[in-house]
Amino acid sequence: MTTETTTRHPVRAAAPPELGGLGLFTVLLAAALPLIDFFIVNVALPTIGADLSASESVLELVVAGYGVAYAVLLVLGGRLGDLFGRRRLFIGGMAAFGLASLACGLAPTAWSLVAARVAQGAASAAMLPQVLATIQSTTAGARRAKAMGLYGATAGLAMVAGQILGGVLVAADIAGTGWRAVFLVNVPVVLVGLLFAARTVPETRSSRPEPVDGPGTLLLAAALIALLAPLTEGRAAGWPLWTWLSLGAFPFLAGAFYVVERRADRAGRTPLVPPSLFRLVSLRRGLVLMLPFSMGFSGFMFVIAVALQEGARLGAVQAGLALAPLAVTFLFTSIAGPRLIARYGTRVVTAGTVLQGIGLVLIVLAVRSSWPDLGLLPLLPGGAIAGVGQALQLPVVMRLVLSEVPPARAGVGSGVMGTTQQSALALGVATLGTLFLALVPGMGMRDALMTTLLVQLAGVVLTGVLSLRLPRTIS
């Protein structure tokens, strides 16, 4: 009887869960929130400083505390999602992000705001890796390509929209909240996201759950803190001794992390970042290209915000809206991206670097000829072309990095990519921002801005050269 029943009713493996349209919207909404909050404070910092009587070094920590906590914990967040369930970590991380945003908006002092921003960064690190891991595990073929294209478009647009939204919210002074609105606006968005997530995001986890790598986690955290903390805080603090000691310790901590991870891999244990993951050519070359691109992106956004507000004397709204052409062209180009990739492959990235370079040159010429009357119209041609170029790069590279990562390691892969991107964003503000602010006293705001943009142009050229080594097609 048993054999006959088995013959008539064969046991079928359960079909993998699928991510529907509303579920995809929900995870993309969550992907946008951490990136928006990285950039939204750029135009709000002067108001925060005046209201909370915060020094420049403390204001730097409002930005750096979030960015460092976010970057340090991303890989761990991906591993925990693989282990305990991505939907569970996603919902928990989103709820924590909402609570931390509320704490930021209600912060009575500058130091309480810094603490709340660190908590917000940690919550983002729990939430974001689950987005990419869920997409990798619940989609395939054309649906995955479309979802990854939308993810890349969302990420790029969020970085620009964050700065624009920050200016609008500060100027609107909703119910007298002033700068606090840039954080409080997250609360209703998170509540909607949690409602949708509970109904539409399927639960997935690694088929072979792997324990947390304690030594690797601690060493990676120490290495990233040793690098990012002095670079983001050093200039405002006057480069005290601890910043140089920290930078000197970074290569030793990074080397120790690599040795520990390689030893764990060879012993059959599962390291936090398996070195074997970097044998994937698409992941390795994509991450290398992401570094100069993300550094240039964040450095540009920070420098242009400072220059427009303190040099061109624009208000928060005008400074934010000056970037609107970049956001609009980025959005529409991203929509067309998947068709361009299907036809031309990763050479789309090379074309994007050329267009971004042209856009930067036009912005430099606009600064030279129009300063200090700089705003939407002078920046429109360069910003619009640069937006097209950036949209042809970021979504493609993000899709490429994860294209060959097996679903069982989707959380680890997305955590590694997120850590690379977030670290590069923080480094961009630290390097290009520090260069710009160091040049201003001697060269003046206009020439310092032009010089910094030309340095960024060199980074765009480097990105273009690296793009020639990418695999021609994306699986």
Side-chain angles (χ1 to χ4, degrees):
M1 176 68 86
T2 304
T3 305
E4 185 179 9
T5 304
T6 305
T7 304
R8 291 178 182 177
H9 304 285
V11 177
R12 295 180 180 178
E18 290 190 0
L19 187 67
L22 189 56
L24 179 60
F25 169 80
T26 303
V27 295
L28 292 179
L29 176 68
L33 287 174
L35 289 169
I36 286 175
D37 269 62
F38 183 86
F39 289 92
I40 201 169
V41 298
N42 279 350
V43 293
L45 286 176
T47 312
I48 294 173
D51 187 39
L52 298 182
S53 301
S55 65
E56 186 180 0
S57 60
V58 176
L59 288 177
E60 289 276 358
L61 281 175
V62 171
V63 179
Y66 175 85
V68 171
Y70 186 17
V72 162
L73 297 173
L74 267 168
V75 178
L76 178 61
R79 171 59 61 84
L80 292 175
D82 287 348
L83 184 61
F84 295 111
R86 292 154 187 154
R87 179 177 179 270
R88 181 180 299 177
L89 262 289
F90 177 79
I91 290 176
M94 181 178 277
F97 183 87
L99 291 173
S101 297
L102 181 63
C104 288
L106 300 178
T109 66
W111 283 107
S112 61
L113 176 59
V114 170
R117 284 284 282 173
V118 171
Q120 197 182 34
S124 297
M127 176 175 63
L128 186 68
Q130 318 317 326
V131 174
L132 284 168
T134 298
I135 290 174
Q136 287 287 101
S137 301
T138 59
T139 59
R143 290 185 67 247
R144 179 182 295 177
K146 180 179 179 181
M148 288 300 299
L150 289 172
Y151 176 86
T154 300
L157 193 61
M159 290 189 260
V160 183
Q163 206 139 307
I164 298 173
L165 182 63
V168 171
L169 289 174
V170 170
D173 193 21
I174 301 169
T177 55
W179 61 267
R180 298 178 186 274
V182 304
F183 302 113
L184 295 176
V185 71
N186 291 331
V187 177
V189 176
V190 164
L191 291 175
V192 172
L194 288 173
L195 178 63
F196 286 169
R199 295 173 177 269
T200 64
V201 177
E203 180 65 283
T204 64
R205 67 182 70 203
S206 174
S207 57
R208 292 177 298 161
E210 299 157 344
V212 172
D213 171 19
T217 300
L218 292 175
L219 281 171
L220 178 62
L224 288 173
I225 290 172
L227 175 66
L228 297 178
L231 287 178
T232 51
E233 184 66 12
R235 185 197 60 82
W239 296 106
L241 178 62
W242 73 264
T243 59
W244 298 109
L245 293 176
S246 182
L247 287 172
F250 167 71
F252 296 100
L253 290 168
F257 171 71
Y258 175 75
V259 169
V260 166
E261 297 298 274
R262 185 179 61 178
R263 185 177 299 163
D265 213 8
R266 290 178 174 177
R269 300 191 301 272
T270 303
L272 182 70
V273 180
S276 56
L277 203 62
F278 292 91
R279 294 175 191 156
L280 301 174
V281 175
S282 56
L283 180 136
R284 186 174 66 249
R285 294 183 180 176
L287 291 179
V288 169
L289 190 144
M290 187 176 285
L291 282 170
F293 176 86
S294 296
M295 288 177 65
F297 199 120
S298 63
F300 171 82
M301 298 297 287
F302 174 80
V303 167
I304 204 72
V306 173
L308 291 176
Q309 289 187 90
E310 297 186 9
R313 301 298 177 188
L314 297 182
V317 174
Q318 290 86 353
L321 291 179
L323 298 172
L326 192 153
V328 171
T329 57
F330 190 106
L331 173 62
F332 285 104
T333 306
S334 297
I335 294 172
R339 291 192 296 272
L340 294 172
I341 297 166
R343 183 170 182 179
Y344 300 107
T346 57
R347 290 297 173 261
V348 168
V349 177
T350 308
T353 63
V354 173
L355 289 173
Q356 186 185 1
I358 293 171
L360 274 176
V361 170
L362 291 176
I363 292 173
V364 170
L365 294 175
V367 172
R368 181 180 180 184
S369 61
S370 301
W371 188 267
D373 300 319
L374 204 61
L376 176 61
L377 289 179
L379 292 176
L380 193 154
I385 294 174
V388 173
Q390 289 169 337
L392 293 177
Q393 297 173 71
L394 184 61
V396 183
V397 173
M398 286 185 162
R399 180 178 159 191
L400 177 71
V401 167
L402 295 178
S403 61
E404 296 179 323
V405 176
R409 286 185 166 177
V412 176
S414 60
V416 170
M417 186 178 77
T419 299
T420 302
Q421 183 189 29
Q422 186 60 36
S423 300
L425 291 175
L427 286 172
V429 174
T431 52
L432 289 177
T434 298
L435 173 66
F436 170 69
L437 294 172
L439 292 176
V440 168
M443 301 178 66
M445 187 76 73
R446 187 195 77 158
D447 290 347
L449 176 58
M450 291 172 59
T451 302
T452 306
L453 292 176
L454 290 174
V455 171
Q456 186 195 350
L457 181 60
V460 173
V461 173
L462 174 61
T463 305
V465 173
L466 291 173
S467 72
L468 297 174
R469 300 185 69 246
L470 295 176
R472 289 297 299 269
T473 58
I474 302 177
S475 58

